[in-house]
């Protein structure tokens, strides 16, 4: 009774005794565990991990073509399959963490898997016997493509990296966020700052990878570059392990698919029953009448459609795909001189959004959030939904800027035989950098705060799928536009390899229009999402433990 009274007092003070554990599996102590101190170690790991994987991913096609001697089309498929696998495996990593291992052990195990992949890749790049004979494909030599054991070593290495990175990524963000108690108003404010800091760390890692590490690969060899990525990944592990004594670890909840399946099974077997006239008996469910009959509260399935919010960010990532492909081609067709003797690599334009994020995120969190918080009363300054919407709105102007600048560049080249400076296309990267600060961070915060308890790592992993779907949609659009516009004005808009003959500006205008329509669609769904029914409004407005306990209790009583 005395221990029970003590636990009750701790819960009244907002301190949980059983929802989080220390590294020995004992209940965590709020005075020793959690907060920004352990989260900082996770942020360090995130910066180092993205630094290592981005350095490999951004230059992998060069290694595959020049060292493994794959064809251009096969090399492109190798890279896209590698990147796509990382994002798909993020779902597996989130599921494994929430269901069986917990974030800490999932990160630790798969970080070592990722490190082993980097080491194997660097060994293969260094040992001549593990690669085809060197040759100069540009001089017309017939190069021998890597096959058999050599190809096997390569693919084992990159897919070890993909498996490790895919499973680590969502859990790093979720584990860092787990260091803050959402039921404590003070810590809830810090949670919002953590999400901003996480994207800051991501941007720093990307910037270093796109500049220093890629330069190192180019000038010192791919074996050295891959070896540096392995060393950086080892630093990520050291950073993560350094915080072990201070982490508050959320234990796994068992299979996260079980409660979702139970909802639909319960609804199916009760499909012929009449819904009760008293809405309180439905625990706040009004919009999905079929699931009312399960008689439980599962907000992200029953009351609102969080997946529609997710779907609205796919077009946003389709725009990101253009900045990493066609916009780089734009830069290649322009004057890249910064000084008489120094040229800007067109691919380095991709670093502009991350420079903007590194500058803007601290200003946003330090000045804008406290100012907005006084006006809105929201712990994040503005809600994640408003933040996502603002980013989607700005993304439209990134494509408007791209279309205007491409028309100007094309006219200068075709009509006046002039080559514009590469700096003319920097606005589209600058605008998208600001857009990403709002949408990308807002989406992660939105999904992490969904009321499905024990599924935070899996829900965070879902945000990575938006990248995959966005790039896939980009490929579909390019093929579709070429097919539709073939036969008009000497071929499709993107049919030629020469931008002066293509109509990339029209494609950009199409994307700007799609982005605007996507924003209007988002406004509809976000308003629908954020308009709770009368019986559930208290859940959205209050940040107490009652709803959480009620949710857990109802889960345990599903027939």
């Amino acid at each position: 009774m005395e221990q029970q009274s003590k636990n009750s007092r701790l819960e009244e003070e907002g301190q949980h005794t059983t929802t989080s554990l220390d590294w020995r599996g004992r209940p965590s102590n709020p005075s020793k565990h959690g907060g920004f101190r352990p989260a900082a170690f996770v942020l360090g790991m995130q910066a180092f991990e993205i630094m290592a994987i981005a350095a490999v991913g951004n230059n992998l096609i060069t290694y595959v073509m020049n060292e493994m001697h794959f064809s251009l089309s096969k090399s492109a498929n190798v890279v896209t399959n590698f990147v796509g696998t990382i994002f798909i495996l993020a779902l597996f990593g989130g599921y494994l963490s929430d269901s069986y291992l917990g974030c800490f052990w999932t990160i630790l195990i798969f970080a070592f898997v990722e490190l082993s992949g980097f080491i194997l890749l660097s060994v293969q790049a260094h040992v001549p016997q593990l690669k085809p004979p060197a040759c100069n494909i540009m001089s017309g030599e017939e190069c021998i493509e890597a096959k058999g054991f050599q190809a096997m070593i390569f693919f084992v290495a990159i897919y070890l990296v993909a498996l490790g990175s895919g499973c680590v990524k969502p859990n790093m963000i979720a584990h860092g966020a787990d260091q803050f108690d959402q039921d404590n108003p003070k810590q809830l404010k810090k949670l919002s700052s953590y999400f901003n800091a996480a994207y800051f760390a991501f941007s720093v890692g990307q910037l270093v990878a796109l500049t220093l590490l890629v330069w190192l690969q180019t000038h010192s060899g791919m074996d050295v570059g891959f070896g540096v990525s392995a060393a950086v990944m080892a630093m990520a592990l050291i950073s993560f392990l350094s915080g072990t004594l201070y982490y508050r670890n959320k234990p796994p909840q068992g299979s996260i698919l079980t409660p979702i399946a139970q909802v639909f099974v319960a609804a199916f077997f009760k499909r012929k029953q009449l819904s009760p006239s008293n809405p309180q008996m439905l625990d706040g469910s009004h919009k999905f009448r079929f699931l009312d009959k399960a008689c439980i509260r599962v907000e992200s399935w029953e009351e609102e459609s969080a997946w529609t919010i997710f779907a609205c960010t796919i077009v946003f990532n389709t725009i990101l795909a253009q900045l990493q492909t066609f916009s780089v081609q734009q830069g290649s067709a322009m004057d890249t001189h910064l000084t008489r003797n120094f040229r800007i690599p067109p691919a380095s334009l991709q670093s502009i959004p991350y420079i903007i994020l590194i500058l803007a995120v601290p200003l946003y969190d330090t000045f804008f959030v406290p100012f907005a918080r006084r006006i809105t009363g929201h712990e994040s300054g503005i809600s994640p939904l408003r933040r996502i919407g603002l980013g989607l709105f700005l993304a439209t102007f990134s494509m408007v800027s791209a279309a205007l600048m491409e028309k100007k560049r094309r006219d200068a080249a075709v009509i006046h035989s002039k080559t514009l400076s590469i700096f003319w296309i920097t606005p589209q990267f600058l605008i998208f950098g600001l857009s990403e600060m709002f949408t990308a961070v807002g989406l992660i915060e939105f999904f992490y705060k969904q009321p499905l308890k024990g599924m935070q790592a899996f829900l965070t992993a879902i945000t990575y799928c938006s990248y995959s779907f966005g790039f896939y949609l980009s490929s579909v659009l390019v093929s579709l536009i070429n097919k539709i516009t073939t036969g008009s004005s000497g071929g499709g808009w993107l049919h030629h390899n020469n931008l002066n003959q293509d109509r990339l500006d029209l494609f950009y205008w199409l994307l700007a229009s799609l982005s605007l329509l996507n924003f209007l669609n988002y406004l509809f769904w976000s308003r629908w999402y954020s308009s709770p029914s009368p019986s559930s409004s208290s859940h959205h407005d209050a940040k107490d433990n009652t709803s959480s306990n009620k949710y857990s209790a109802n889960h345990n009583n599903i027939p």
Side-chain angles (χ1 to χ4, degrees), residues 58-121:
N58 287 326
N59 221 15
L60 185 61
I61 193 169
T62 302
Y63 177 75
V64 174
M65 290 185 64
N66 295 345
E67 303 288 339
M68 305 302 289
H69 305 152
F70 289 173
S71 66
L72 175 61
S73 59
K74 187 173 182 178
S75 299
N77 285 337
V78 167
V79 175
T80 53
N81 290 342
F82 169 70
V83 175
T85 301
I86 292 175
F87 292 135
I88 294 300
L89 285 173
L91 292 175
F92 173 70
Y95 170 77
L96 201 61
S97 170
D98 288 334
S99 299
Y100 303 110
L101 296 178
C103 284
F104 179 85
W105 286 107
T106 304
I107 293 172
L108 188 61
I109 292 170
F110 287 98
F112 274 107
V113 171
E114 185 175 1
L115 176 60
S116 67
F118 284 127
I119 293 173
L120 183 58
L121 193 59

Side-chain angles (χ1 to χ4, degrees), residues 396-546:
T396 301
F397 292 97
S398 175
M399 286 295 95
V400 169
S401 174
L404 292 173
M405 290 303 102
E406 173 57 17
K407 181 68 164 59
K408 183 179 181 67
R409 185 210 63 78
R410 187 175 183 274
D411 288 348
V414 174
I415 300 175
H416 305 291
S417 300
K418 293 182 178 180
T419 303
L420 295 182
S421 169
I422 195 173
F423 290 105
W424 279 98
I425 64 172
T426 55
Q428 62 211 56
F429 289 92
L430 293 172
I431 295 171
F432 190 84
L434 291 174
S435 173
E436 192 170 15
M437 180 183 70
F438 290 104
T439 295
V441 181
L443 187 66
I444 292 172
E445 183 176 359
F446 170 75
F447 268 100
Y448 182 84
K449 291 182 176 179
Q450 288 301 297
L452 283 178
K453 302 299 181 183
M455 291 181 61
Q456 272 57 48
F458 183 79
L459 291 170
T460 303
I462 289 173
T463 63
Y464 287 97
C465 292
S466 179
Y467 290 95
S468 182
F469 294 155
F471 276 69
Y472 176 73
L473 177 59
S474 175
S475 299
V476 171
L477 281 175
V478 170
S479 300
L480 188 61
I481 290 300
N482 268 335
K483 185 175 182 179
I484 293 174
T485 58
T486 296
S488 62
S489 64
W493 288 357
L494 306 170
H495 177 73
H496 305 283
N497 289 328
N498 187 341
L499 285 182
N500 293 337
Q501 298 177 22
D502 287 332
R503 294 308 305 269
L504 181 59
D505 57 326
L506 297 181
F507 182 64
Y508 280 151
W509 279 118
L510 173 65
L511 287 173
S513 301
L514 286 176
S515 181
L516 180 60
L517 291 174
N518 180 66
F519 171 68
L520 295 176
N521 179 52
Y522 173 82
L523 286 182
F524 170 78
W525 289 107
S526 62
R527 286 175 62 86
W528 186 79
Y529 181 97
S530 57
S531 301
S533 57
S535 61
S536 61
S537 60
S538 60
H539 172 78
H540 292 273
D541 296 336
K543 298 294 182 182
D544 54 24
N545 294 332
T546 305

Side-chain angles (χ1 to χ4, degrees), residues 3 6-7 10-11 13-35 37-38 175 178-182 187 243-251:
Q3 181 63 35
K6 181 179 179 181
N7 290 345
L10 288 172
E11 289 178 0
E13 296 170 5
Q15 300 173 357
H16 294 278
T17 59
T18 58
T19 56
S20 62
L21 307 172
D22 68 4
W23 67 284
R24 291 181 176 177
R26 302 172 303 188
S28 61
N29 186 337
S31 63
K32 296 180 179 179
H33 305 107
R37 179 172 59 177
H175 188 57
D178 286 346
Q179 306 311 308
F180 304 93
D181 185 356
Q182 292 192 63
Q187 291 205 11
T244 301
L245 298 180
Y246 308 107
Y247 293 137
R248 59 192 300 265
N249 303 300
K250 288 188 177 179

Side-chain angles (χ1 to χ4, degrees), residues 52-262:
I53 189 68
V56 171
N58 287 326
N59 221 15
L60 185 61
I61 193 169
T62 302
Y63 177 75
V64 174
M65 290 185 64
N66 295 345
E67 303 288 339
M68 305 302 289
H69 305 152
F70 289 173
S71 66
L72 175 61
S73 59
K74 187 173 182 178
S75 299
N77 285 337
V78 167
V79 175
T80 53
N81 290 342
F82 169 70
V83 175
T85 301
I86 292 175
F87 292 135
I88 294 300
L89 285 173
L91 292 175
F92 173 70
Y95 170 77
L96 201 61
S97 170
D98 288 334
S99 299
Y100 303 110
L101 296 178
C103 284
F104 179 85
W105 286 107
T106 304
I107 293 172
L108 188 61
I109 292 170
F110 287 98
F112 274 107
V113 171
E114 185 175 1
L115 176 60
S116 67
F118 284 127
I119 293 173
L120 183 58
L121 193 59
S122 62
V123 169
Q124 193 216 25
H126 182 74
V127 178
Q129 290 80 4
L130 298 179
K131 298 183 297 183
C135 73
N136 188 355
I137 193 172
M138 300 302 296
S139 65
E141 291 184 45
E142 185 175 349
C143 299
I144 301 175
E145 179 180 317
K147 294 181 179 179
F149 181 72
Q150 295 173 340
M152 185 192 73
I153 291 293
F154 169 72
F155 283 113
V156 168
I158 65 170
Y159 281 104
L160 280 175
V161 172
L163 174 62
S165 182
C167 292
V168 162
K169 284 185 185 300
N171 285 291
M172 286 190 297
I173 295 177
H175 188 57
D178 286 346
Q179 306 311 308
F180 304 93
D181 185 356
Q182 292 192 63
D183 295 320
N184 185 318
K186 291 184 179 180
Q187 291 205 11
L188 194 60
K189 293 179 181 179
K190 293 180 180 179
L191 177 61
S192 175
S193 295
Y194 164 75
F195 286 121
N196 290 324
Y199 222 75
F200 178 83
F202 169 83
S203 301
V204 170
Q206 282 277 13
L207 181 61
V208 174
L210 285 167
T211 52
L212 181 61
L213 297 191
V214 169
W215 179 89
L216 193 65
Q217 291 173 354
T218 304
H219 291 81
S220 300
M222 298 300 291
D223 55 341
V224 174
F226 292 155
V228 170
S229 286
V232 170
M233 189 62 209
M235 294 171 66
L237 263 167
I238 292 172
S239 176
F240 177 70
L241 289 171
S242 298
T244 301
L245 298 180
Y246 308 107
Y247 293 137
R248 59 192 300 265
N249 303 300
K250 288 188 177 179
Q253 304 295 310
S255 177
I256 60 175
L257 299 180
T258 302
I260 295 174
Q262 286 176 322

